[in-house]
Amino acid sequence: MNEKRAAAPAHQTKRVGGLDGVRALCALGVAGVHTSFAAGVMGAYVAPPGNEFLATLLAGMRPLALGPFFVLSGMLLYRPFARWTLGGGTRPRIGPFLAKRLARLWPAYALLAVVCVFLLNYAAVDGPWYVLRPLLMLQVYDYTWIAGMDPAWTVPAEMQYYLALPLIAALMHKLAKGVADPVRKARRMLVPLVLITAGSAVWTWWIHRPEMGVYPEQYWWPLAVGGAFALGMGMAILQVLAELRPGREPFLHRIAGNHPLLFWVGALAIYAFNCSQPFGRPGYGDYEGVGLALTQYFLLLGFSYLMVMPLAIPGAKSRVVDAIVANPVSRYLGRISYGIYLWHFAVMYFWFETGSVFGTEPGMMNQLRGTIGFPELMTAVLAGSILAATLSHYLVERPVVNAVGRWAARKQAAAAPAPAPGAVPEQRERDPYTVAGPR
């Protein structure tokens, strides 16, 4: 295990493939957890696990696999705002920022919504609002179950944090602008993020109290994932601070850069501990009580930090980590991982042949569980979701993202001040972290 940190500039032009690989692992992990439940491998309430060993491993992945998605979003999207505050640069333009986020998130999600509403849930359509509700990402607030979109509640949560990010960034900038020292600036900027993380923990406790029942309507609201998003923003602050103070990086930043595999071993240890389901039952996908929910909230933050941090440092190298996340297959699956995440549940409904297009009411997964073997269903889910994700990526997502990106570039060029006569044009360096992800 050869760990070394090669010299690298603060800005690179090469795509950070390892971050794509993490997205692939997480998307496949989420698909595996849901498929195991539908196939009866994972236990739930009165139904025992169909395979205790496999169920224990998969239950330990729940809900850790979701965390890196939100951490990556917070880290990647806040970095330009962190440079604005810490480095005195230009504030990112809000219009292009929001347009690019909408282009990245909504088209593939809208395609899924249209397919699920009209093919799986057509018999339930009782008016225009039934169709408009998911397209506007509002189904999470009255929780309207739409077969095939079962895990897509995280997409409205992500979108609402995108809308909130410029406001949070402006608040953090205001708190920090009264001091000149970057370290003191960073400390002030972290205050709102600590409050968001604490608030999300309180919300997690509140929605898991016994009197709230199982999966209350508020469970689907975006507040519970705020801690992971805030963690990513905090990581962005420390990364920009390290760029501004080369040779004086924060301690954990140095450790992650020099020993990335050590961080991944720590993430593996957290996953192994979560397999024991503290305050819960190993191998079961029950709705969490307060103790398990709060424990998993903080385990998710630790797991996500340890997974993402080594890959977010330019020059950090590990042959073991790179072999897992930077190989061509992982990188490709990472590029289409948003589609895999979106489509894997819909593929299950089509495979079970349940829904309006098959002349039936869509059956809920707890009604269908155990009617098919896990290997067969997992194979169908992987093949179907990868195919759907590939088509979505190349026919819908990438054309829209590229078109909006060109529009944003024109807007930015038009707003830039004209150079003085005889001046050398500024060479803009591409941030290696602004790669497109599943969110």
Side-chain angles (χ1 to χ4, degrees):
M1 293 182 292
N2 182 24
E3 312 289 336
K4 63 179 181 178
R5 187 180 182 187
H11 297 277
Q12 300 174 339
T13 58
K14 185 179 179 181
R15 184 182 179 95
V16 182
L19 298 182
D20 283 337
V22 167
R23 293 183 177 97
L25 291 178
C26 291
L28 296 176
V30 172
V33 169
H34 290 155
T35 304
S36 74
F37 180 84
V41 171
M42 190 184 301
Y45 306 107
V46 298
N51 181 317
E52 290 191 10
F53 177 73
L54 182 58
T56 299
L57 295 180
L58 290 166
M61 201 175 297
R62 174 184 180 267
L64 300 185
L66 272 179
F69 283 143
F70 291 101
V71 169
L72 282 167
S73 292
M75 182 185 74
L76 301 178
L77 300 181
Y78 182 64
R79 281 182 63 87
F81 293 94
R83 288 202 182 96
W84 164 49
T85 300
L86 288 172
T90 303
R91 187 191 73 176
R93 292 175 59 82
I94 305 304
F97 169 82
L98 294 177
K100 287 191 286 187
R101 292 302 94 212
L102 180 65
R104 183 67 188 95
L105 209 63
W106 189 79
Y109 167 87
L111 176 62
L112 173 74
V114 169
V115 169
C116 290
V117 166
F118 288 104
L119 293 186
L120 297 178
N121 301 270
Y122 186 75
V125 176
D126 55 4
W129 182 239
Y130 188 92
V131 179
L132 291 174
R133 184 193 284 115
L135 290 175
L136 296 174
M137 300 186 176
L138 295 176
Q139 78 278 13
V140 296
Y141 288 104
D142 61 357
Y143 191 66
T144 301
W145 176 68
I146 299 174
M149 296 186 69
D150 307 59
W153 65 272
T154 60
V155 182
E158 188 89 14
M159 179 62 78
Q160 288 162 73
Y161 279 104
Y162 290 170
L163 296 174
L165 190 144
L167 298 175
I168 300 171
L171 171 62
M172 295 163 70
H173 185 81
K174 186 173 182 179
L175 288 174
K177 70 178 183 179
V179 296
D181 178 51
V183 175
R184 292 181 61 197
K185 279 180 178 284
R187 289 172 181 165
R188 292 192 178 193
M189 294 164 70
L190 290 172
V191 171
L193 304 183
V194 172
L195 295 177
I196 291 172
T197 304
S200 290
V202 172
W203 179 262
T204 299
W205 162 79
W206 189 75
I207 62 175
H208 285 89
R209 293 173 301 145
E211 54 266 38
M212 295 295 289
V214 175
Y215 291 107
E217 185 176 293
Q218 295 85 352
Y219 176 87
W220 314 103
W221 296 6
L223 300 176
V225 299
F229 201 83
L231 172 62
M233 294 175 67
M235 291 167 63
I237 292 172
L238 297 181
Q239 289 161 17
V240 173
L241 188 64
E243 292 175 3
L244 298 174
R245 304 166 72 244
R248 292 186 292 169
E249 299 92 344
F251 174 73
L252 288 177
H253 193 281
R254 292 198 304 272
I255 297 298
N258 291 317
H259 305 287
L261 186 57
L262 182 63
F263 271 53
W264 270 45
V265 170
L268 182 62
I270 289 177
Y271 161 69
F273 177 70
N274 195 47
C275 286
S276 70
Q277 294 290 281
F279 305 103
R281 298 189 293 174
Y284 281 78
D286 303 336
Y287 183 70
E288 303 93 340
V290 168
L292 178 57
L294 283 175
T295 302
Q296 288 189 333
Y297 175 81
F298 290 106
L299 290 178
L300 179 149
L301 296 182
F303 175 84
S304 303
Y305 174 79
L306 293 171
M307 283 286 291
V308 173
M309 187 63 186
L311 301 172
I313 300 176
K317 300 292 292 181
S318 166
R319 287 188 293 183
V320 174
V321 173
D322 288 349
I324 296 172
V325 296
N327 64 76
V329 174
S330 294
R331 294 185 65 173
Y332 176 74
L333 293 177
R335 285 196 292 274
I336 64 168
S337 57
Y338 181 36
I340 294 174
Y341 179 80
L342 286 177
W343 285 97
H344 74 275
F345 232 99
V347 168
M348 281 193 274
Y349 284 95
F350 285 110
W351 192 254
F352 280 119
E353 297 185 1
T354 179
S356 299
V357 71
F358 301 106
T360 67
E361 293 289 330
M364 298 184 72
M365 281 298 136
N366 60 350
Q367 299 170 328
L368 301 170
R369 56 182 276 112
T371 61
I372 190 173
F374 178 71
E376 179 186 349
L377 184 58
M378 193 71 225
T379 301
V381 167
L382 285 177
S385 57
I386 290 173
L387 175 61
T390 299
L391 294 174
S392 172
H393 180 77
Y394 286 103
L395 300 180
V396 178
E397 299 169 55
R398 198 160 77 167
V400 174
V401 167
N402 289 343
V404 173
R406 290 191 293 269
W407 169 82
R410 290 195 298 269
K411 293 284 288 186
Q412 185 171 350
V424 177
E426 179 185 1
Q427 298 296 318
R428 297 183 60 85
E429 294 179 291
R430 181 185 173 197
D431 185 342
Y433 303 101
T434 55
V435 294
R439 294 201 165 46

